[in-house]
Amino acid sequence: MTASMTTQERSDIDVRDGAVRRPHIIVGVDGSAASVAALRQAVVLAEALNGSVEAVDVWQFPASVAGYIPPEWSPEDDAKQVLAEATSEVFGTAVPSWFEQTVCEGSTARRLVALSRDADLLVMGSRGHGGFTGLLLGSVSSACAEYSHCPTLVMHGESLLAHGDSLPVEARA
């Protein structure tokens, strides 16, 4: 890297293999206020790093209640709707080309950890089951923080919700 490189050029270099590419940020979105705020934060980071964002919603068919679910209900369609609403809330109608949406089936923590193999950062909100309850229930965010293959940013609801609306989201020129 030479001293004459711009900040933008330096941010596009992947130091793992020297290849020029955009940093890739994955953000888990489940429709909660904390996940939408995490999406906003991922967008801010991607804009600062000239990166890309992939918003991911993972669905799992609740097998334990299979006989009680109307046949016309689709958890995959619901997940797509959740992503569409979160995307609209963050971008309005001006969705940038560096943003993509992924809906997949499976265990949320396992899917996000698997996707983290090809990411530079994993971002998610935390709805916060703190204390003893959190120890009993476990959580997607703690599993991802422990097992992801890239740095993981867990945004906690209280700090996010107090400041989430002030996070700047601007379209790149």
Side-chain angles (χ1 to χ4, degrees):
M1 189 174 342
T2 65
S4 63
M5 291 182 85
T6 67
T7 302
Q8 184 63 52
E9 291 167 328
R10 284 191 296 274
S11 72
D12 287 343
I13 294 180
D14 180 344
V15 295
R16 291 175 286 188
D17 59 14
V20 176
R21 68 171 187 81
R22 299 176 85 148
H24 185 63
I25 300 171
I26 293 188
V27 58
V29 177
D30 65 5
S32 66
S35 76
V36 173
L39 176 58
R40 281 191 178 98
Q41 186 62 50
V43 167
V44 168
L45 293 168
E47 288 178 334
L49 299 170
N50 191 33
S52 63
V53 172
E54 180 180 358
V56 178
D57 192 354
V58 182
W59 64 273
Q60 191 167 27
F61 192 81
S64 63
V65 295
Y68 304 100
I69 296 175
E72 66 276 1
W73 179 67
S74 167
E76 181 177 14
D77 289 345
D78 283 355
K80 288 177 183 176
Q81 183 64 33
V82 164
L83 271 182
E85 289 172 5
T87 299
S88 176
E89 188 173 335
V90 171
F91 294 108
T93 58
V95 179
S97 62
W98 46 266
F99 177 79
E100 63 182 292
Q101 299 175 49
T102 301
V103 172
C104 50
E105 180 182 10
S107 158
T108 302
R110 287 184 181 171
R111 284 298 202 150
L112 291 174
V113 167
L115 290 168
S116 74
R117 286 188 184 276
D118 298 321
D120 296 293
L121 180 65
L122 175 61
V123 181
M124 66 190 63
S126 173
R127 287 186 266 177
H129 291 289
F132 189 67
T133 305
L135 291 174
L136 292 175
L137 296 175
S139 72
V140 171
S141 58
S142 63
C144 289
E146 184 171 354
Y147 297 108
S148 72
H149 302 278
C150 65
T152 301
L153 175 60
V154 178
M155 307 290 291
H156 292 280
E158 289 179 15
S159 62
L160 271 181
L161 300 178
H163 306 291
D165 292 338
S166 65
L167 293 173
V169 177
E170 298 173 5
R172 242 183 269 172

